[in-house]
Amino acid sequence: MPEGAEPYLPSPYSQWVIVARSQIRHYVRTYRFIGLVTFVGIVSVLWLVLLVASGRGLVQLSFLNSVSEFLTDYAQTLPLWIILAAACFGGDALSVDFHSGTGYYTLVLPVNRSVLLAGRYASALSVTLGVVVFYDLFGILGATYAFGPGSLPWGPLGLSFGLSVLFALAAVSVAFCFSAVFRTPATGVLVTVLVLFVALSTVQGVAEMAGLEPWWSLYYAGGSIANVLDWQFVAQQTIPVGGGQYIQSWAATAQEGASIMAAYVAMFFAFTVVLYQRKESRG
């Protein structure tokens, strides 16, 4: 470089690619990624082995000879896997910059914080979606074995995957926000799981008992991932419980679920941007 010339800096897009790529490489080498993928693989393989051991006839009978019912049942656990992945890869993504020595090396680089945030967000989302695809493949294999490849409803499957992507965006946004709020990395991971799964699912059940639709719950919105696969889907039901009493039950439609997820993305990602731009490293 000629003497007196300004040092060359990559464009913001190039910096974003570098940050995202390096973070993904870091994630796939961590024990948490290997452990989560291994756990998902073990559970899915055992499920598939038991499915094959049961035989096509029994499986078809159990799901009323409907591949729709089969895929709906399988997809109901997908929001939990997404929450676990988002917590593992996003729950401590930002806290390490402010409450450990890492921040003294990363925040002084000639890279805008928004680029760092966007790169890490993209990497956490990519790894989370990798877990989603890995889990979905076993469901497709199981449905293909039980009902044949020609029976797969590719349209609803594509819609379900699109909602999974949106749910992952929302879950990662929440995890990043908690990561920016709490001092210790482990706290962000734990709080993400407790809030998105334990707290929201519990309050959701109580709200329905009280006759209220839990439209504010991201976990409720995540139910639309499976609901769009159900050909007998009903958005609202009145269930008699005896003694002339009834309880209301709601299930999110694709439009409602997508709206709730988009609201979570916008709100929590905006909070994350503000917090990340203003906080100082105290490692």
Side-chain angles (χ1 to χ4, degrees):
M1 184 174 64
E3 185 177 352
E6 291 291 333
Y8 168 75
L9 288 177
S11 66
Y13 173 75
S14 298
Q15 294 176 355
W16 173 79
V17 171
I18 293 171
V19 172
R21 185 182 301 165
S22 61
Q23 193 68 24
I24 289 174
R25 289 174 179 171
H26 167 70
Y27 279 142
V28 298
R29 295 171 182 172
T30 58
Y31 288 119
R32 73 179 67 179
F33 175 80
I34 297 172
L36 180 59
V37 171
T38 302
F39 183 58
V40 173
I42 290 173
V43 172
S44 300
V45 168
L46 285 175
W47 171 84
L48 191 59
V49 168
L50 292 173
L51 190 75
V52 173
S54 300
R56 288 189 180 92
L58 181 59
V59 173
Q60 292 176 1
L61 182 63
S62 300
F63 292 97
L64 307 177
N65 294 313
S66 172
V67 68
S68 170
E69 295 291 336
F70 178 91
L71 291 171
T72 300
D73 182 77
Y74 184 81
Q76 285 177 350
T77 56
L78 189 53
L80 174 58
W81 294 119
I82 295 176
I83 290 172
L84 289 176
C88 286
F89 307 122
D92 64 348
L94 305 180
S95 57
V96 293
D97 282 346
F98 301 113
H99 307 296
S100 71
T102 304
Y104 292 126
Y105 297 97
T106 57
L107 299 182
V108 297
L109 294 172
V111 180
N112 193 287
R113 285 193 182 188
S114 60
V115 175
L116 286 173
L117 174 60
R120 290 177 180 177
Y121 186 88
S123 63
L125 178 64
S126 299
V127 179
T128 299
L129 291 179
V131 175
V132 172
V133 172
F134 184 58
Y135 182 74
D136 280 346
L137 285 176
F138 282 94
I140 292 175
L141 285 174
T144 301
Y145 163 77
F147 297 93
S151 65
L152 296 178
W154 291 110
L157 280 171
L159 179 57
S160 178
F161 181 74
L163 290 169
S164 299
V165 173
L166 193 53
F167 187 82
L169 280 164
V172 171
S173 297
V174 174
F176 265 59
C177 186
F178 289 150
S179 177
V181 169
F182 294 106
R183 297 183 61 87
T184 57
T187 304
V189 175
L190 181 61
V191 170
T192 299
V193 175
L194 290 178
V195 170
L196 291 185
F197 178 63
V198 180
L200 287 184
S201 62
T202 301
V203 178
Q204 175 182 324
V206 175
E208 287 185 301
M209 289 180 61
L212 302 173
E213 181 183 5
W215 55 265
W216 35 262
S217 170
L218 180 61
Y219 192 75
Y220 168 73
S224 62
I225 296 172
N227 295 340
V228 297
L229 297 169
D230 189 359
W231 68 280
Q232 292 183 317
F233 171 71
V234 178
Q236 182 178 358
Q237 300 182 65
T238 301
I239 304 172
V241 293
Q245 295 182 321
Y246 301 85
I247 60 173
Q248 297 292 325
S249 175
W250 285 270
T253 63
Q255 295 82 359
E256 185 181 19
S259 299
I260 297 171
M261 295 174 199
Y264 267 79
V265 173
M267 181 173 61
F268 280 92
F269 190 74
F271 286 157
T272 302
V273 171
V274 173
L275 289 170
Y276 193 62
Q277 291 288 354
R278 295 190 176 188
K279 291 187 74 172
E280 296 181 358
S281 180
R282 297 180 181 179

PDB file of all heavy atoms in Angstrom, residues 158-171:
ATOM      1  N   GLY A 158     -44.367 -27.432   1.683  1.00  0.00           N
ATOM      2  CA  GLY A 158     -43.633 -26.196   1.410  1.00  0.00           C
ATOM      3  C   GLY A 158     -44.111 -25.055   2.278  1.00  0.00           C
ATOM      4  O   GLY A 158     -43.304 -24.258   2.779  1.00  0.00           O
ATOM      5  N   LEU A 159     -45.438 -24.958   2.466  1.00  0.00           N
ATOM      6  CA  LEU A 159     -45.994 -23.910   3.332  1.00  0.00           C
ATOM      7  C   LEU A 159     -45.541 -24.119   4.769  1.00  0.00           C
ATOM      8  O   LEU A 159     -45.194 -23.153   5.474  1.00  0.00           O
ATOM      9  CB  LEU A 159     -47.515 -23.919   3.241  1.00  0.00           C
ATOM     10  CG  LEU A 159     -48.267 -22.900   4.105  1.00  0.00           C
ATOM     11  CD1 LEU A 159     -47.811 -21.478   3.801  1.00  0.00           C
ATOM     12  CD2 LEU A 159     -49.774 -23.042   3.908  1.00  0.00           C
ATOM     13  N   SER A 160     -45.532 -25.370   5.213  1.00  0.00           N
ATOM     14  CA  SER A 160     -45.088 -25.672   6.575  1.00  0.00           C
ATOM     15  C   SER A 160     -43.626 -25.291   6.772  1.00  0.00           C
ATOM     16  O   SER A 160     -43.254 -24.732   7.813  1.00  0.00           O
ATOM     17  CB  SER A 160     -45.288 -27.162   6.870  1.00  0.00           C
ATOM     18  OG  SER A 160     -44.823 -27.501   8.158  1.00  0.00           O
ATOM     19  N   PHE A 161     -42.794 -25.576   5.759  1.00  0.00           N
ATOM     20  CA  PHE A 161     -41.390 -25.211   5.877  1.00  0.00           C
ATOM     21  C   PHE A 161     -41.218 -23.695   5.887  1.00  0.00           C
ATOM     22  O   PHE A 161     -40.367 -23.163   6.626  1.00  0.00           O
ATOM     23  CB  PHE A 161     -40.585 -25.814   4.726  1.00  0.00           C
ATOM     24  CG  PHE A 161     -39.115 -25.487   4.790  1.00  0.00           C
ATOM     25  CD1 PHE A 161     -38.294 -26.105   5.713  1.00  0.00           C
ATOM     26  CD2 PHE A 161     -38.561 -24.536   3.934  1.00  0.00           C
ATOM     27  CE1 PHE A 161     -36.944 -25.798   5.794  1.00  0.00           C
ATOM     28  CE2 PHE A 161     -37.210 -24.222   4.001  1.00  0.00           C
ATOM     29  CZ  PHE A 161     -36.404 -24.851   4.937  1.00  0.00           C
ATOM     30  N   GLY A 162     -41.999 -22.991   5.088  1.00  0.00           N
ATOM     31  CA  GLY A 162     -41.938 -21.526   5.109  1.00  0.00           C
ATOM     32  C   GLY A 162     -42.279 -20.958   6.476  1.00  0.00           C
ATOM     33  O   GLY A 162     -41.626 -20.020   6.957  1.00  0.00           O
ATOM     34  N   LEU A 163     -43.299 -21.538   7.118  1.00  0.00           N
ATOM     35  CA  LEU A 163     -43.648 -21.110   8.468  1.00  0.00           C
ATOM     36  C   LEU A 163     -42.551 -21.483   9.466  1.00  0.00           C
ATOM     37  O   LEU A 163     -42.319 -20.753  10.434  1.00  0.00           O
ATOM     38  CB  LEU A 163     -44.978 -21.736   8.889  1.00  0.00           C
ATOM     39  CG  LEU A 163     -46.217 -21.208   8.164  1.00  0.00           C
ATOM     40  CD1 LEU A 163     -47.436 -22.072   8.466  1.00  0.00           C
ATOM     41  CD2 LEU A 163     -46.496 -19.752   8.556  1.00  0.00           C
ATOM     42  N   SER A 164     -41.874 -22.603   9.232  1.00  0.00           N
ATOM     43  CA  SER A 164     -40.745 -22.990  10.093  1.00  0.00           C
ATOM     44  C   SER A 164     -39.628 -21.961  10.004  1.00  0.00           C
ATOM     45  O   SER A 164     -39.004 -21.613  11.014  1.00  0.00           O
ATOM     46  CB  SER A 164     -40.217 -24.369   9.682  1.00  0.00           C
ATOM     47  OG  SER A 164     -41.202 -25.366   9.828  1.00  0.00           O
ATOM     48  N   VAL A 165     -39.364 -21.470   8.791  1.00  0.00           N
ATOM     49  CA  VAL A 165     -38.341 -20.438   8.611  1.00  0.00           C
ATOM     50  C   VAL A 165     -38.729 -19.169   9.363  1.00  0.00           C
ATOM     51  O   VAL A 165     -37.906 -18.556  10.057  1.00  0.00           O
ATOM     52  CB  VAL A 165     -38.137 -20.131   7.114  1.00  0.00           C
ATOM     53  CG1 VAL A 165     -37.193 -18.944   6.929  1.00  0.00           C
ATOM     54  CG2 VAL A 165     -37.592 -21.351   6.386  1.00  0.00           C
ATOM     55  N   LEU A 166     -39.995 -18.779   9.247  1.00  0.00           N
ATOM     56  CA  LEU A 166     -40.456 -17.570   9.934  1.00  0.00           C
ATOM     57  C   LEU A 166     -40.424 -17.746  11.443  1.00  0.00           C
ATOM     58  O   LEU A 166     -40.055 -16.822  12.188  1.00  0.00           O
ATOM     59  CB  LEU A 166     -41.876 -17.233   9.463  1.00  0.00           C
ATOM     60  CG  LEU A 166     -42.428 -15.851   9.833  1.00  0.00           C
ATOM     61  CD1 LEU A 166     -41.473 -14.740   9.405  1.00  0.00           C
ATOM     62  CD2 LEU A 166     -43.800 -15.648   9.198  1.00  0.00           C
ATOM     63  N   PHE A 167     -40.779 -18.942  11.920  1.00  0.00           N
ATOM     64  CA  PHE A 167     -40.716 -19.225  13.355  1.00  0.00           C
ATOM     65  C   PHE A 167     -39.277 -19.180  13.840  1.00  0.00           C
ATOM     66  O   PHE A 167     -38.989 -18.683  14.935  1.00  0.00           O
ATOM     67  CB  PHE A 167     -41.335 -20.589  13.646  1.00  0.00           C
ATOM     68  CG  PHE A 167     -41.471 -20.897  15.114  1.00  0.00           C
ATOM     69  CD1 PHE A 167     -42.542 -20.414  15.845  1.00  0.00           C
ATOM     70  CD2 PHE A 167     -40.526 -21.663  15.772  1.00  0.00           C
ATOM     71  CE1 PHE A 167     -42.673 -20.688  17.203  1.00  0.00           C
ATOM     72  CE2 PHE A 167     -40.638 -21.939  17.121  1.00  0.00           C
ATOM     73  CZ  PHE A 167     -41.719 -21.452  17.840  1.00  0.00           C
ATOM     74  N   ALA A 168     -38.348 -19.708  13.034  1.00  0.00           N
ATOM     75  CA  ALA A 168     -36.925 -19.655  13.395  1.00  0.00           C
ATOM     76  C   ALA A 168     -36.445 -18.209  13.460  1.00  0.00           C
ATOM     77  O   ALA A 168     -35.671 -17.849  14.360  1.00  0.00           O
ATOM     78  CB  ALA A 168     -36.108 -20.449  12.383  1.00  0.00           C
ATOM     79  N   LEU A 169     -36.868 -17.382  12.520  1.00  0.00           N
ATOM     80  CA  LEU A 169     -36.524 -15.959  12.556  1.00  0.00           C
ATOM     81  C   LEU A 169     -36.984 -15.321  13.868  1.00  0.00           C
ATOM     82  O   LEU A 169     -36.250 -14.556  14.504  1.00  0.00           O
ATOM     83  CB  LEU A 169     -37.166 -15.233  11.373  1.00  0.00           C
ATOM     84  CG  LEU A 169     -36.467 -15.362  10.015  1.00  0.00           C
ATOM     85  CD1 LEU A 169     -37.418 -14.928   8.904  1.00  0.00           C
ATOM     86  CD2 LEU A 169     -35.210 -14.516   9.983  1.00  0.00           C
ATOM     87  N   ALA A 170     -38.220 -15.630  14.262  1.00  0.00           N
ATOM     88  CA  ALA A 170     -38.767 -15.058  15.491  1.00  0.00           C
ATOM     89  C   ALA A 170     -38.028 -15.580  16.718  1.00  0.00           C
ATOM     90  O   ALA A 170     -37.687 -14.807  17.626  1.00  0.00           O
ATOM     91  CB  ALA A 170     -40.254 -15.382  15.587  1.00  0.00           C
ATOM     92  N   ALA A 171     -37.781 -16.891  16.778  1.00  0.00           N
ATOM     93  CA  ALA A 171     -37.112 -17.475  17.943  1.00  0.00           C
ATOM     94  C   ALA A 171     -35.686 -16.956  18.075  1.00  0.00           C
ATOM     95  O   ALA A 171     -35.221 -16.651  19.188  1.00  0.00           O
ATOM     96  CB  ALA A 171     -37.119 -19.004  17.833  1.00  0.00           C
TER      97      ALA A 171
END
